[in-house]
Amino acid sequence: MQKYPLTRKRRLRYTQSIRDLAAENTLNSSDLIWPVFVLEGENRRESIKSMPGVYRLSQDLLIEKLAKLYSMGLKAVALFPVVTAEKKSEQAEEAYNSDGLVQRSIRKIKSELPEILVISDIALDPFTIHGQDGLIDESGYVLNDETVEVLCKQAVSHARAGVDIVAPSDMMDGRILKVREALESNGYINTSILAYSAKYASCFYGPFRDAVGSSGNLGKSTKENYQMNPANGKEALDEIAMDIDEGADMVMVKPGLPYLDIIKSASETFNTPVFAYQVSGEYAMLQSAIDNGFLDEKKAILESLLCFKRAGCDAILTYYADRVLEYLNE
Ligand code: PBG
């Protein structure tokens, strides 16, 4: 390394133009995936107490908003259904109902806005009465292999509806291979799998569970016997390696900002795209500070997302995607 004054690191920070020219990373519209909560019915838009500024939308309003975001550069949307109580059951049959809310939403988006990539969550928590991501036994333990069978039916039903990417998010063992085999054997060879490979048992999902209405169902029980322990980093690399071997096209780390170390090592270790999820609790933290006037909205949002890029992320699920598209289009 050359010494001062031959090297003055501040030269490349002298003007905005030179800073832009020398930037190692940038945030673009193609980095963003917009997660959205979908409601039954028409002309419905509900606010979410723990996520001020985020709304649950009925399909018609979702299509309107997606059309606008598409014109601003949005490439992908991730759907999360708000399932009404009477559709929830022990065996989560609604998960693979060809006429379910997710399946109908996929068909609607793909017919009206075919260029937008639709990503669907593969997990049972919106559909179980107990709010766990899988089927449970008498003791409440989440059953692995039995759950995976239902996940396969769910994934195939989404593929049949035209989804571009299925995203198994439940952390059952072996589910990527089984979902991949189910897609292949049903002819959906170009349906991608985005594996939530390193998904931690995190308290930062709290506002999401309020948004989809599963927190009441879950009660005091946790997901700690299938989602990862926040204490562990090396284990995440094992999880990711297994999912890639089983046929994942893309892998995900979740939550995001508190787990940038995991994103970094994943992106350095593997040649598969690494995505991250800036989850509901991260949104709630940032937005609370923004709403209190403690942080500048635009700067805080853009900086938090740029840091994901620096850590090696290829795309980011963020509830701020719509606002960021506005900033990028200014
Ligand atoms: C459930 C699922 C969760 C999230 C996405 N899919 C919550 C959970 O595991 O309980 C959380 C997303 C967020 O917090 O924004 N399969």
Side-chain angles (χ1 to χ4, degrees):
M1 175 75 78
Q2 285 181 329
K3 288 200 180 64
Y4 168 87
L6 300 179
T7 293
R8 288 179 185 267
K9 295 307 266 180
R10 289 181 59 191
R11 281 187 208 118
L12 295 187
R13 298 173 199 147
Y14 189 53
T15 62
Q16 188 61 49
S17 298
I18 195 90
R19 289 193 290 273
D20 287 347
L21 202 69
E24 296 175 32
N25 295 286
T26 51
L27 183 68
N28 307 301
S29 58
S30 55
D31 298 317
L32 303 170
I33 299 168
W34 186 46
V36 70
F37 303 111
V38 196
L39 285 173
E40 290 286 1
E42 266 172 59
N43 199 22
R44 293 178 67 200
R45 181 177 188 266
E46 293 179 357
S47 53
I48 301 156
K49 193 161 174 282
S50 50
M51 300 180 76
V54 173
Y55 300 90
R56 307 182 188 99
L57 298 174
S58 57
Q59 241 180 58
D60 51 335
L61 299 189
L62 172 61
I63 293 284
E64 261 175 44
K65 174 132 188 193
L66 278 178
K68 181 166 160 252
L69 295 179
Y70 178 64
S71 72
M72 297 166 81
L74 183 74
K75 303 278 182 267
V77 62
L79 302 177
F80 295 97
V82 182
V83 177
T84 49
E86 74 275 8
K87 300 233 166 86
K88 299 186 192 235
S89 63
E90 281 291 338
Q91 303 297 318
E93 288 92 348
E94 184 64 15
Y96 51 90
N97 175 358
S98 60
D99 210 29
L101 178 57
V102 176
Q103 289 82 352
R104 275 181 280 126
S105 305
I106 295 168
R107 283 197 292 269
K108 181 91 178 153
I109 299 168
K110 293 313 293 184
S111 74
E112 309 242 335
L113 299 160
E115 304 297 324
I116 292 192
L117 292 170
V118 180
I119 304 175
S120 62
D121 209 56
I122 301 299
L124 304 185
D125 53 309
F127 310 100
T128 54
I129 41 181
H130 43 71
Q132 292 289 359
D133 287 24
L135 308 179
I136 56 172
D137 68 13
E138 314 76 59
S139 71
Y141 185 73
V142 175
L143 298 164
N144 195 88
D145 302 6
E146 292 81 349
T147 296
V148 171
E149 279 177 38
V150 187
L151 298 178
C152 290
K153 291 190 204 170
Q154 186 182 26
V156 170
S157 86
H158 292 181
R160 199 169 282 136
V163 85
D164 298 284
I165 301 171
V166 292
S169 72
D170 65 311
M171 292 303 281
M172 297 301 121
D173 288 323
R175 78 239 197 265
I176 301 301
L177 177 63
K178 293 290 180 193
V179 167
R180 171 61 75 210
E181 286 173 351
L183 292 172
E184 285 286 322
S185 64
N186 282 279
Y188 299 110
I189 60 167
N190 286 318
T191 306
S192 299
I193 299 179
L194 166 60
Y196 283 68
S197 300
K199 177 173 179 178
Y200 287 86
S202 171
C203 75
F204 290 100
Y205 309 148
F208 173 97
R209 292 175 191 167
D210 294 338
V212 297
S214 67
S215 45
N217 301 71
L218 198 57
K220 285 208 183 340
S221 47
T222 72
K223 302 189 176 185
E224 289 169 1
N225 65 24
Y226 47 103
Q227 297 178 348
M228 282 184 60
N229 182 348
N232 298 352
K234 288 184 281 192
E235 185 189 358
L237 298 182
D238 276 356
E239 285 280 4
I240 293 170
M242 288 174 79
D243 283 356
I244 294 171
D245 281 348
E246 290 179 27
D249 300 288
M250 299 153 281
V251 296
M252 180 142 57
V253 175
K254 176 185 176 186
L257 272 198
Y259 294 80
L260 287 187
D261 57 325
I262 311 298
I263 297 171
K264 176 88 174 161
S265 35
S267 72
E268 286 175 349
T269 310
F270 304 103
N271 297 324
T272 299
V274 176
F275 291 11
Y277 200 145
Q278 183 178 49
V279 299
S280 57
E282 297 175 67
Y283 176 90
M285 279 200 301
L286 273 172
Q287 196 57 41
S288 309
I290 290 165
D291 289 342
N292 274 298
F294 301 152
L295 287 176
D296 178 272
E297 176 159 28
K298 181 174 168 183
K299 287 184 179 154
I301 295 171
L302 291 176
E303 182 178 330
S304 72
L305 293 169
L306 181 61
C307 292
F308 282 91
K309 295 295 299 291
R310 193 197 59 236
C313 246
D314 294 286
I316 309 147
L317 282 98
T318 172
Y319 299 98
Y320 285 119
D322 50 348
R323 258 171 273 178
V324 172
L325 287 166
E326 279 174 26
Y327 300 149
L328 296 176
N329 279 280
E330 270 166 10

